[in-house]
Amino acid sequence: MTTKRQRIRNGLILVSFFLFPVFFYYLSPALVIMASGEGTINGSLVIFFLLFISALVVGRGFCGWLCPAAGCQEALFLAQDKRVKRGNILKWLIWVPWLSAIIYLTIKTGGYKKIDFFYQTHYGLSIYDLQSFITYNLILFILIVIPGLVFGKRSFCHHLCWMAPFMIIGRSIRNVFGYPSLQLRAASEQCIHCHTCTDHCPMSLEVEEMVEREKMENQECILCGRCVDGCPNDAITYRMR
Ligand code: SF4
Ligand code: SF4
């Protein structure tokens, strides 16, 4: 049974996906490089920074509750719900050279000189003509749809996402200092080993094992709460501690 909380989450990520053509450029890894080469802080650089800040408190909650790529990927579960077991390192192999290029270009141009949040958009819209529409759909299929269908559930999040590392680093900083933040709590004595949480996890985590060890922190956890809402014996809960 889908709980009210999960219906709300499904609605949020679907609406976010339908609005993706509007916000596409604000999450672009390419435009941030172009803008940095011109000494400009663009919309995506601002958004990436805000994602890092948000992760200091809510971890990868953005991935679970708001990301436009989430709506598309979870809709694909209807066609392909294979679990993804390996490959999380790949996104770091992409992210490190990408971030290095941004830093290099920023230094080369003498630092940022202006902010243009709507850089390369048309009155704030990302997709506004045939060329941008074709580019958008090509990127959507190559980076999100095809990996999801070939490699399994939320393959883009595991293997390719350039935003996830910002949030993983933010979450790691929180874990070092241990201040209150949104997290999961497990009560292993309440677990009846039905395997539902592991089956439901959109990030293919071994949730039942995490519950058994009462160690729910995982850098791939997107705090979506599907394990919380699916558990028949309330062995997993959200907490702010
Ligand atoms: S859904 Fe709950 S009871 Fe079932 S395996 Fe997971 S934690 Fe245990
Ligand atoms: S462990 Fe639970 S909250 Fe984390 S991604 Fe899996 S289902 Fe979502």
Side-chain angles (χ1 to χ4, degrees):
M1 190 184 74
T2 307
T3 62
K4 186 177 174 190
R5 177 162 50 196
Q6 289 304 314
R7 282 199 296 275
I8 291 171
R9 192 184 76 84
N10 290 341
L12 285 173
I13 58 177
L14 270 181
V15 168
S16 178
F17 173 54
F18 290 133
L19 292 175
F20 204 5
V22 177
F23 300 122
F24 190 56
Y25 283 3
Y26 303 97
L27 303 176
S28 167
L31 288 185
V32 73
I33 291 182
M34 281 170 58
S36 296
E38 298 167 16
T40 300
I41 295 174
N42 74 324
S44 47
L45 189 58
V46 173
I47 297 294
F48 298 154
F49 179 70
L50 292 177
L51 290 179
F52 165 74
I53 297 295
S54 75
L56 296 171
V57 181
V58 295
R60 290 182 64 182
F62 169 81
C63 312
W65 289 81
L66 287 176
C67 180
C72 176
Q73 291 186 98
E74 296 203 13
L76 288 173
F77 291 180
L78 295 170
Q80 173 60 281
D81 67 349
K82 185 166 72 178
R83 289 164 58 78
V84 169
K85 294 250 170 110
R86 284 189 285 273
N88 293 323
I89 191 74
L90 183 60
K91 61 176 170 280
W92 292 96
L93 298 178
I94 296 168
W95 188 79
V96 170
W98 170 70
L99 189 67
S100 303
I102 294 169
I103 294 169
Y104 169 75
L105 286 169
T106 306
I107 294 170
K108 194 170 163 231
T109 52
Y112 291 113
K113 298 172 192 71
K114 62 172 182 171
I115 299 179
D116 181 0
F117 188 77
F118 302 108
Y119 181 81
Q120 295 280 335
T121 65
H122 185 71
Y123 296 107
L125 286 177
S126 303
I127 307 306
Y128 53 84
D129 60 10
L130 184 61
Q131 189 187 343
S132 58
F133 180 74
I134 292 171
T135 306
Y136 167 74
N137 280 289
L138 274 176
I139 292 175
L140 192 66
F141 271 87
I142 293 170
L143 294 187
I144 297 176
V145 176
I146 292 173
L149 292 175
V150 174
F151 299 108
K153 295 199 283 190
R154 277 185 175 251
S155 170
F156 172 76
C157 310
H158 286 282
H159 303 129
L160 299 173
C161 183
W162 49 90
M163 295 175 282
F166 289 111
M167 289 176 272
I168 292 171
I169 291 170
R171 183 62 167 194
S172 302
I173 292 172
R174 180 268 154 205
N175 290 342
V176 168
F177 292 100
Y179 53 80
S181 69
L182 186 66
Q183 51 197 284
L184 300 177
R185 178 185 170 278
S188 59
E189 70 282 359
Q190 284 174 232
C191 177
I192 54 171
H193 302 289
C194 66
H195 213 59
T196 308
C197 50
T198 302
D199 288 343
H200 282 192
C201 179
M203 292 301 285
S204 309
L205 302 180
E206 293 293 342
V207 190
E208 190 177 333
E209 281 180 28
M210 290 157 61
V211 171
E212 188 71 26
R213 289 184 278 121
E214 297 198 350
K215 201 169 182 306
M216 300 304 286
E217 195 60 34
N218 186 303
Q219 67 176 19
E220 295 303 326
C221 175
I222 55 173
L223 291 170
C224 65
R226 285 196 68 181
C227 56
V228 176
D229 294 324
C231 179
N233 220 29
D234 296 329
I236 312 170
T237 47
Y238 276 122
R239 69 173 179 177
M240 193 76 184
R241 277 185 60 186

